[in-house]
């Protein structure tokens, strides 16, 4: 474009950073694009997402449906999705030979079921458009120089210059880590973990590690509740329902210091009253059969026998012979079992934080700072986070693409003869 080669530096070698970089290089042939990654790994969350399959996006029918899956930033992404949505993500990857498929729960993966497919696609774009990528290069300070260009200070003492900067550094667990960005005049919403599992130290339920079932879970004393798959682990509970609760309740659960009571209904189709009404017919129908061997609710057998044991119901008892007090205890365990939660565990390496750059300081139509020209943001560094299911990656692709498109428009406006 311009005879004077301009430079975009992208701070962050994750999904948002790479997507910004490769699209900017493609749209602006005269632009030098450099990606700086503070660690030695590129696209690390892409690699581990979805159990190594990469949950690229979510098969949402429309923007309204999609925005309801963001505990923070819903109003912001409603605007950005009008620029680059799920359908655009699908088309972008398919144009580059990567076909995506939707599963029953809406999650979308490459048909290869291998996250390396997504990584290889992005790396091919890096090579095709001559994007420079450097690892172990952490930006620690940036400021505008007297020539109007950005000066970046790296942890190793190196100094770089850039015309445009896109911050795609991901989330930080501690507010202090945002200091270098606060120096630009931006304010920070304090971070908090947003996707984590519930620890239940010492609870006998952990003996059922690996058992999964659909359940309804609510947090006592709050309005937080979710229904969906629950996975019992050696430390407590995980699975989509738990992870969604952790996202919606990120701030509330942090305030409780991750010490609260989770109430689990193992039979979401019933409540205590409806189960009590159903019970006499079950006793009559199954009366001669041993209750340990006959589970009419479709629960995993290990879970069923575990609950019977907690209720004090012996292995040889028949349905018709269960004492009333044991029967009442079992019904309560089935539909409102209480679990003391003490602590959390990061969900593998798919750790997400809420908090980050205050959204009112970013223009959603361009991803440019409203405070400082030529400074852009993409991905988790902003105060946007979605529940598990491909929503955080869609925000990454969208924000990265918009930032790249804006840089292109800026370069065109600087060089009107090249439109």
């Amino acid at each position: 474009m311009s005879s004077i080669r301009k430079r975009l530096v992208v701070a962050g070698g994750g999904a948002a950073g790479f997507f910004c970089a490769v699209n900017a290089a493609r749209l602006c042939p005269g632009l030098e694009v450099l990606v700086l990654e503070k660690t030695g790994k590129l696209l690390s969350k892409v690699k581990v997402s979805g159990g190594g399959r990469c949950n690229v996006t979510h098969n949402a029918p429309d923007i309204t449906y999609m925005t309801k899956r963001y505990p923070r930033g819903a109003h912001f992404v409603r605007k950005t999705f009008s620029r680059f949505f799920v359908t655009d993500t699908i088309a972008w990857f398919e144009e580059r030979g990567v076909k995506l498929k939707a599963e029953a729960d809406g999650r979308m993966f490459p048909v290869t079921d291998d996250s390396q497919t997504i990584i290889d696609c992005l790396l091919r774009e890096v090579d095709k458009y001559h994007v420079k990528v450097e690892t172990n290069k952490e930006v620690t300070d940036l400021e505008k120089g007297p020539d109007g260009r950005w000066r970046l200070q790296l942890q190793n003492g190196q100094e770089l210059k850039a015309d445009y900067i896109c911050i795609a550094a991901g989330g930080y667990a501690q507010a202090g880590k945002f200091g270098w960005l606060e120096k630009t005049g931006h304010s920070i919403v304090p971070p908090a973990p947003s996707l984590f599992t519930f620890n239940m130290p010492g609870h006998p339920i952990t003996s059922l590690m690996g058992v999964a079932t659909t359940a309804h879970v609510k947090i006592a004393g709050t309005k937080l509740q979710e229904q969906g798959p629950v996975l019992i682990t050696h430390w407590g509970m995980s699975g989509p329902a738990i992870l969604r609760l952790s996202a919606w309740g990120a701030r509330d659960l942090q305030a409780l210091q991750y010490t609260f009571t989770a109430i689990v209904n193992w039979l979401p189709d019933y409540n205590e009253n409806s189960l009590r009404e159903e019970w006499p017919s079950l006793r009559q129908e199954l009366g001669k059969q041993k209750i340990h061997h006959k589970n009419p609710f479709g629960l995993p057998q290990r879970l069923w026998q575990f609950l019977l044991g907690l209720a004090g119901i012996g292995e040889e008892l028949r349905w018709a012979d269960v004492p009333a007090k044991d029967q009442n205890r079992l019904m309560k365990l089935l539909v409102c079992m209480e679990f003391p939660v003490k602590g959390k565990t990061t969900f593998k390496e798919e750790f997400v934080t809420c908090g980050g750059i205050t959204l009112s300081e970013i223009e959603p139509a361009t991803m440019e700072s409203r405070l400082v020209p030529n400074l852009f943001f993409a991905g988790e560094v902003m105060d946007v986070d979605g529940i598990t299911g491909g929503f955080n990656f869609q925000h990454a692709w969208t924000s990265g693409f918009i930032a790249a498109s804006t840089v292109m428009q800026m370069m065109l406006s600087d060089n009107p003869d090249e439109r």
Side-chain angles (χ1 to χ4, degrees), residues 372-383:
V372 190
N374 298 347
L375 175 62
F376 301 86
F377 298 98
E380 196 186 336
V381 73
M382 298 179 278
D383 186 26

Side-chain angles (χ1 to χ4, degrees), residues 245-371:
L245 269 177
S246 75
W248 288 109
R251 294 288 180 198
D252 293 334
L253 301 182
Q254 183 186 50
L256 293 170
Q257 298 182 314
Y258 308 104
T259 300
F260 53 89
T261 298
I263 303 172
V264 178
N265 180 349
W266 300 109
L267 307 177
D269 291 337
Y270 292 90
N271 57 36
E272 198 164 358
N273 289 333
S274 62
L275 182 60
R276 196 172 295 280
E277 290 172 3
E278 177 85 6
W279 206 267
S281 61
L282 289 172
R283 279 179 68 103
Q284 186 173 0
E285 179 185 344
L286 307 170
K288 295 182 179 180
Q289 302 188 52
K290 291 181 180 179
I291 191 168
H292 270 260
H293 297 161
K294 189 61 179 178
N295 160 20
F297 303 110
L299 289 174
Q301 190 63 14
R302 285 174 62 199
L303 176 59
W304 174 245
Q305 293 181 348
F306 173 80
L307 296 174
L308 291 172
L310 286 183
I313 298 173
E315 293 185 16
E316 299 303 314
L317 266 183
R318 301 181 189 279
W319 267 88
D321 300 329
V322 177
K325 65 174 183 178
D326 295 343
Q327 175 181 289
N328 290 335
R329 193 181 298 122
L330 176 60
M331 283 190 279
K332 194 169 184 65
L333 290 170
L334 284 167
V335 295
C336 52
M337 188 173 180
E338 296 188 359
F339 292 90
V341 176
K342 292 185 178 180
K344 58 174 174 47
T345 298
T346 300
F347 183 57
K348 300 178 182 177
E349 294 179 54
E350 298 180 60
F351 182 66
V352 172
T353 59
C354 63
I357 302 293
T358 301
L359 296 180
S360 60
E361 298 171 357
I362 305 169
E363 173 51 58
T366 62
M367 301 314 300
E368 187 179 16
S369 165
R370 284 174 165 163
L371 308 181

Side-chain angles (χ1 to χ4, degrees), residues 23 105 116 123 148 178 228 238 327 345 368 394:
N23 281 294
D105 60 4
Q116 193 63 42
L123 291 179
F178 287 96
S238 184
Q327 175 181 289
T345 298
E368 187 179 16
Q394 184 56 52

Side-chain angles (χ1 to χ4, degrees), residues 196-210:
F196 51 86
T197 60
F198 294 174
N199 289 358
M200 300 168 180
H203 198 286
I205 192 75
T206 57
S207 67
L208 302 184
M209 179 181 66

Side-chain angles (χ1 to χ4, degrees), residues 138-149:
E138 181 177 4
V139 180
T140 56
D141 197 18
L142 66 159
E143 61 180 3
K144 277 284 183 75
D147 58 356
R149 302 185 78 203

Side-chain angles (χ1 to χ4, degrees), residues 69-91:
R69 274 67 190 172
Y70 291 83
R72 284 147 293 272
H75 184 65
F76 188 86
V77 297
R78 177 182 290 277
K79 295 177 180 178
T80 64
F81 287 160
S82 66
R83 297 284 312 279
F84 191 91
F85 191 48
V86 171
T87 47
D88 301 298
T89 299
I90 295 169

